[in-house]
Amino acid sequence: MDDPSVAYRRLLDHYGPQHWWPAETDFEVVVGALLMQQTAWANVERAIANLREAGLLDVHALASASAAAIRRAVRVAGLYRTKPARLKAFCRHLVDRCDGDLAAYFRRPTAEVREDLMAQDGVGPETADSILLYAGRHPVFVVDAYTVRIGTRLGLLATQAYDVVQRHFETHLPRDVHGYREDHALLVTHAKTLCRPRPKCGECPLRPDCPFGRRQRS
């Protein structure tokens, strides 16, 4: 398979629209992206619910809250000391940079916002691009381990380098926020459902054009 748009259409037909990222506000998306590292989404949802219940799901509240208070709310998301400190520091940065106004924060060129995000502690390319796409509505394609797994098995990728993989998908897919969101979410769903480390190739809608899948017995 040479064209990821073909895979996208087949996955969309198979799974339907994903409507990802589940959040009530853009700030909630940011918090979820920062907490998502090295944990399951269910844990992130519980942490966000805890923050909301504690009255801390607000940029100014988190920026001024004690580390202990944040820690109590988000400890279910793991990295007991690291994540609360990073979350507080990021919110302090938002307050200092734009008085916590996310619309103003994102109202800059994509490259400028991305550089600013990645300058923050604990924010790598995947987290930065998730925030840009889902909270900031910037058309950037998010690359994660699922993207690399599926892309490699389909024969689309010759490297796992983040920027190269991202450029490949952005080159072959329309530059569109909604499309990038759906494509990323569909790849995640497919990787969790069928294209697992031990895949279920016999049920896969991509198998006819997947070199890896065609080699499997079932």
Side-chain angles (χ1 to χ4, degrees), residues 10-103:
R10 290 183 183 173
L11 292 177
L12 184 61
D13 288 342
H14 188 79
Y15 295 107
Q18 300 299 293
H19 305 296
W20 189 260
W21 187 298
E24 295 181 8
T25 66
D26 292 336
F27 181 66
E28 188 175 322
V29 173
V30 173
V31 172
L34 294 172
L35 294 177
M36 187 62 195
Q37 300 171 28
Q38 300 181 46
T39 193
W41 178 251
N43 294 332
V44 174
E45 288 185 313
R46 290 171 61 191
I48 289 174
N50 291 343
L51 287 170
R52 183 182 291 109
E53 185 176 344
L56 293 176
L57 195 57
D58 172 83
V59 61
H60 291 91
L62 280 171
S64 59
S66 68
I70 301 173
R71 194 176 296 131
R72 284 194 296 272
V74 306
R75 65 185 304 162
V76 66
L79 297 179
Y80 176 68
R81 295 190 180 278
T82 305
K83 286 185 179 181
R86 288 175 175 172
L87 184 57
K88 179 180 175 68
F90 190 88
C91 289
R92 288 177 64 90
H93 170 69
L94 287 177
V95 171
D96 292 342
R97 180 69 179 75
C98 58
D99 195 27
D101 184 347
L102 280 180

Side-chain angles (χ1 to χ4, degrees), residues 127-161:
T127 301
D129 290 340
S130 295
I131 292 172
L132 279 167
L133 178 63
Y134 291 103
R137 297 168 183 81
H138 285 255
V140 294
F141 191 88
V142 179
V143 175
D144 55 23
Y146 300 132
T147 309
V148 172
R149 181 197 302 166
I150 296 171
T152 300
R153 286 176 174 175
L154 287 172
L156 294 172
L157 308 175
T159 177
Q160 296 186 10

